[in-house]
Coordinates of all heavy atoms in Angstrom, one line a residue:
S1 N 103.3 98.0 115.6 CA 103.5 99.1 114.6 C 102.3 99.1 113.6 O 101.9 100.1 113.1 CB 104.8 98.9 113.9 OG 106.0 99.1 114.7
R2 N 101.9 97.8 113.2 CA 100.8 97.7 112.4 C 99.4 98.3 112.9 O 98.8 99.1 112.3 CB 100.6 96.3 112.0 CG 99.4 96.1 110.9 CD 99.3 94.7 110.6 NE 98.3 94.3 109.6 CZ 98.0 93.2 109.1 NH1 98.7 92.0 109.4 NH2 96.9 93.1 108.3
Q3 N 99.2 98.0 114.2 CA 98.1 98.5 114.8 C 98.1 100.1 115.0 O 97.2 100.8 114.9 CB 97.9 97.9 116.2 CG 97.4 96.4 116.1 CD 97.5 95.7 117.5 OE1 98.3 96.0 118.4 NE2 96.5 94.9 117.7
L4 N 99.4 100.6 115.4 CA 99.6 102.0 115.4 C 99.3 102.7 114.2 O 98.7 103.7 114.1 CB 101.0 102.2 115.8 CG 101.5 103.7 115.8 CD1 100.8 104.6 116.7 CD2 103.0 103.7 116.0
L5 N 99.6 102.0 113.1 CA 99.5 102.7 111.8 C 98.0 102.6 111.3 O 97.4 103.7 110.9 CB 100.4 101.9 110.7 CG 100.2 102.4 109.3 CD1 100.7 103.8 109.1 CD2 101.0 101.6 108.3
T6 N 97.3 101.5 111.5 CA 96.0 101.3 111.0 C 95.0 101.8 111.8 O 93.9 102.4 111.4 CB 95.8 99.8 110.7 OG1 95.9 99.2 111.9 CG2 96.7 99.3 109.6
L7 N 95.1 101.9 113.2 CA 94.2 102.3 114.2 C 94.4 103.7 114.6 O 93.3 104.4 115.0 CB 94.1 101.4 115.4 CG 93.8 99.9 115.0 CD1 93.9 99.1 116.3 CD2 92.5 99.8 114.4
V8 N 95.5 104.3 114.6 CA 95.8 105.5 115.3 C 96.2 106.6 114.2 O 95.7 107.6 114.1 CB 96.9 105.5 116.3 CG1 97.2 106.8 116.9 CG2 96.4 104.6 117.4
L9 N 97.1 106.2 113.4 CA 97.8 107.2 112.5 C 97.1 107.4 111.2 O 96.6 108.6 110.8 CB 99.2 106.8 112.2 CG 100.2 106.7 113.3 CD1 101.6 106.2 112.9 CD2 100.4 108.1 114.0
W10 N 96.8 106.3 110.5 CA 96.3 106.5 109.1 C 94.9 107.1 109.2 O 94.6 108.0 108.2 CB 96.2 105.1 108.4 CG 95.6 105.2 107.0 CD1 94.5 104.6 106.6 CD2 96.1 106.0 105.9 NE1 94.2 104.9 105.4 CE2 95.2 105.7 104.8 CE3 97.2 106.7 105.8 CZ2 95.4 106.3 103.7 CZ3 97.5 107.3 104.4 CH2 96.6 107.1 103.4
P11 N 93.9 106.9 109.9 CA 92.6 107.5 109.9 C 92.8 109.0 110.0 O 92.1 109.8 109.4 CB 91.8 106.9 111.1 CG 92.5 105.6 111.4 CD 93.9 105.8 111.0
Q12 N 93.7 109.5 110.8 CA 93.9 110.9 110.9 C 94.5 111.5 109.7 O 94.1 112.6 109.2 CB 94.7 111.2 112.2 CG 94.1 110.8 113.5 CD 94.9 111.2 114.6 OE1 95.0 112.3 115.1 NE2 95.6 110.1 115.2
V13 N 95.5 110.8 109.2 CA 96.3 111.3 108.0 C 95.3 111.4 106.8 O 95.4 112.3 106.1 CB 97.6 110.4 107.8 CG1 98.1 110.7 106.5 CG2 98.6 110.5 108.9
W14 N 94.6 110.3 106.6 CA 93.7 110.3 105.5 C 92.7 111.5 105.6 O 92.5 112.2 104.5 CB 92.8 109.0 105.6 CG 91.6 108.9 104.6 CD1 90.3 109.2 105.0 CD2 91.6 108.9 103.3 NE1 89.5 109.1 103.9 CE2 90.2 109.0 102.8 CE3 92.6 108.7 102.3 CZ2 89.8 108.9 101.6 CZ3 92.2 108.6 100.9 CH2 90.9 108.7 100.5
Q15 N 92.2 111.7 106.6 CA 91.2 112.8 106.8 C 91.9 114.2 106.6 O 91.3 115.1 106.0 CB 90.5 112.9 108.2 CG 89.3 113.8 108.3 CD 88.6 113.6 109.6 OE1 89.2 113.5 110.6 NE2 87.3 113.7 109.5
R16 N 93.0 114.4 107.3 CA 93.6 115.7 107.2 C 94.2 116.0 105.8 O 94.2 117.2 105.4 CB 94.8 115.7 108.3 CG 94.5 115.6 109.7 CD 95.6 115.7 110.5 NE 95.2 115.6 112.0 CZ 96.1 115.8 113.0 NH1 97.4 116.0 112.8 NH2 95.7 115.6 114.2
Q17 N 94.6 115.1 105.1 CA 95.3 115.3 103.9 C 94.5 115.0 102.6 O 95.0 115.2 101.5 CB 96.6 114.3 103.7 CG 97.6 114.6 104.8 CD 98.0 116.0 105.0 OE1 97.6 116.7 105.9 NE2 98.8 116.5 104.1
L18 N 93.2 114.8 102.8 CA 92.4 114.5 101.6 C 92.4 115.8 100.7 O 92.4 115.5 99.5 CB 91.0 114.2 102.2 CG 89.9 113.9 101.0 CD1 90.4 112.7 100.1 CD2 88.6 113.6 101.5
P19 N 92.2 117.0 101.2 CA 92.1 118.1 100.2 C 93.5 118.2 99.4 O 93.4 118.4 98.1 CB 92.0 119.4 101.1 CG 91.2 118.9 102.4 CD 91.9 117.4 102.5
A20 N 94.6 118.0 100.0 CA 95.9 118.1 99.4 C 96.0 117.0 98.4 O 96.6 117.1 97.3 CB 97.0 118.2 100.4
A21 N 95.6 115.8 98.8 CA 95.7 114.6 98.0 C 94.8 114.8 96.7 O 95.3 114.4 95.6 CB 95.3 113.3 98.7
A22 N 93.6 115.3 96.9 CA 92.7 115.6 95.8 C 93.2 116.5 94.8 O 93.2 116.3 93.5 CB 91.4 115.9 96.4
A23 N 93.9 117.6 95.3 CA 94.4 118.6 94.5 C 95.6 118.0 93.5 O 95.8 118.3 92.4 CB 94.9 119.8 95.2
T24 N 96.4 117.1 94.4 CA 97.5 116.5 93.6 C 97.0 115.6 92.4 O 97.6 115.5 91.4 CB 98.3 115.7 94.5 OG1 98.8 116.6 95.5 CG2 99.5 115.0 93.8
G25 N 95.8 114.8 92.8 CA 95.3 114.0 91.7 C 94.8 114.7 90.5 O 95.0 114.3 89.4
C26 N 94.1 115.9 90.8 CA 93.7 116.7 89.7 C 94.8 117.3 88.9 O 94.7 117.3 87.6 CB 92.9 117.9 90.2 SG 91.2 117.4 90.9

């Protein structure tokens, strides 16, 4: 589960959601 999260899921989630996360931070 840890490898699935760090190697497969999180890199994609970070990139896809960066605009929405940045807007939320602002």
Side-chain angles (χ1 to χ4, degrees):
S1 295
R2 181 177 180 180
Q3 291 172 320
L4 169 63
L5 180 62
T6 58
L7 300 177
V8 179
L9 300 176
W10 178 247
Q12 298 180 75
V13 171
W14 164 258
Q15 187 176 43
R16 293 181 183 186
Q17 300 307 107
L18 181 58
T24 301
C26 288

